[in-house]
Amino acid sequence: MNLTESSRRPFMLTGAVALGTIALAFGGATAANAHVGAKPDTNEAGSYAVVAVSVPHGCDVSPTTKVALKIPEGINAVTPTRNAFYTVEKVMEKLDTPIKDSHGNDVTERVAEVVYTATTPLPADQRDVFELSLQIPEDAAGEMLFFPTIQTCEVGETAWVQMPADGQDPHELELPAPSFEVVPASGEGHGSHASESAEAHGTNETAASAQSPLVITSLLVGAAGLVAGVIALIRGRKQA
């Protein structure tokens, strides 16, 4: 039995209300669970990585004015990516024991913190991403790297600094520090990105080489068609 227009309307209204309620519920849950996160483009031990730290919202309804990112122990050099809406500062600290870098130079201090200060506050309903270029420690395979973050706003601040205890589920934390797990190196070493680039370049060359005979054949067929057309045109004129 078909429903009349008047009988369908209550069902449509009820469905719309139900969908709206569900959307609000999921929307609220998403906003409440939106944490500051850290995502590297590679997480292999010893690799050079770009870590993207995302700030999804302000402090409740207050715009963000500063984001301070603490750098894990074992990482000494960091190159922050510029952001048009912030000034950036590297906070240095002395190493207890000087070390040698890959070029044999003495290293006596490390980047302990990178601070982005907003020239234009980040609205509470918008997000931003801060990128850090660094080398993941070679001996960190199987470990979590934490980047405790202090988010300062026009009113108040949020300290994303909580780290899980042994055996604790990090999802239980209210304000977890941004983090990611380091995996063992794949064997390609520090040149992994270069190897991927070279491999992609080689693949392109192979594809180009495979396409060359097709291109030549197409040109020959086209030339033959052109010649046949010219001959037909000449014969037509003679017959005329």
Side-chain angles (χ1 to χ4, degrees):
M1 179 178 65
N2 294 330
L3 295 174
T4 64
E5 182 67 23
S6 59
S7 62
R8 283 200 300 265
R9 287 177 181 175
F11 287 100
M12 294 172 63
L13 179 59
T14 302
V17 171
L19 289 174
T21 303
I22 293 172
L24 287 174
F26 277 98
T30 301
N33 294 327
H35 297 156
V36 173
K39 184 177 181 180
D41 60 353
T42 177
N43 61 339
E44 293 186 5
S47 294
Y48 289 90
V50 175
V51 180
V53 180
S54 59
V55 176
H57 54 72
C59 308
D60 292 328
V61 295
S62 182
T64 299
T65 58
K66 184 168 67 174
V67 177
L69 312 169
K70 293 188 179 297
I71 307 304
E73 294 286 342
I75 297 176
N76 299 318
V78 176
T79 302
T81 300
R82 293 181 62 185
N83 189 309
F85 297 102
Y86 302 81
T87 61
V88 60
E89 174 190 6
K90 292 191 288 187
V91 180
M92 310 299 292
E93 71 176 7
K94 292 289 186 181
L95 291 173
D96 294 334
T97 303
I99 61 173
K100 296 281 188 181
D101 64 13
S102 58
H103 301 287
N105 301 315
D106 290 327
V107 178
T108 59
E109 58 183 7
R110 65 179 292 270
V111 179
E113 190 176 32
V114 175
V115 180
Y116 283 90
T117 302
T119 54
T120 300
L122 174 67
D125 61 345
Q126 296 181 16
R127 65 185 297 274
D128 213 335
V129 178
F130 307 91
E131 294 183 338
L132 307 174
S133 176
L134 51 86
Q135 183 182 7
I136 299 175
E138 296 181 352
D139 57 355
E143 299 179 3
M144 297 291 296
L145 290 185
F146 293 92
F147 295 78
T149 299
I150 304 295
Q151 179 184 3
T152 303
C153 297
E154 290 182 346
V155 178
E157 72 174 24
T158 304
W160 304 93
V161 297
Q162 296 176 345
M163 302 182 192
D166 291 340
Q168 182 181 13
D169 184 351
H171 295 94
E172 297 176 354
L173 301 176
E174 181 181 1
L175 298 170
S179 64
F180 64 86
E181 183 178 4
V182 180
V183 300
S186 63
E188 295 178 348
H190 304 326
S192 58
H193 293 297
S195 298
E196 292 172 3
S197 177
E199 182 179 352
H201 182 66
T203 302
N204 292 337
E205 287 185 344
T206 300
S209 299
Q211 291 175 358
S212 295
L214 295 177
V215 174
I216 294 173
T217 301
S218 299
L219 291 174
L220 292 175
V221 171
L226 179 61
V227 171
V230 172
I231 293 174
L233 179 61
I234 294 174
R235 287 178 177 176
R237 288 181 177 178
K238 288 181 177 181
Q239 292 176 357

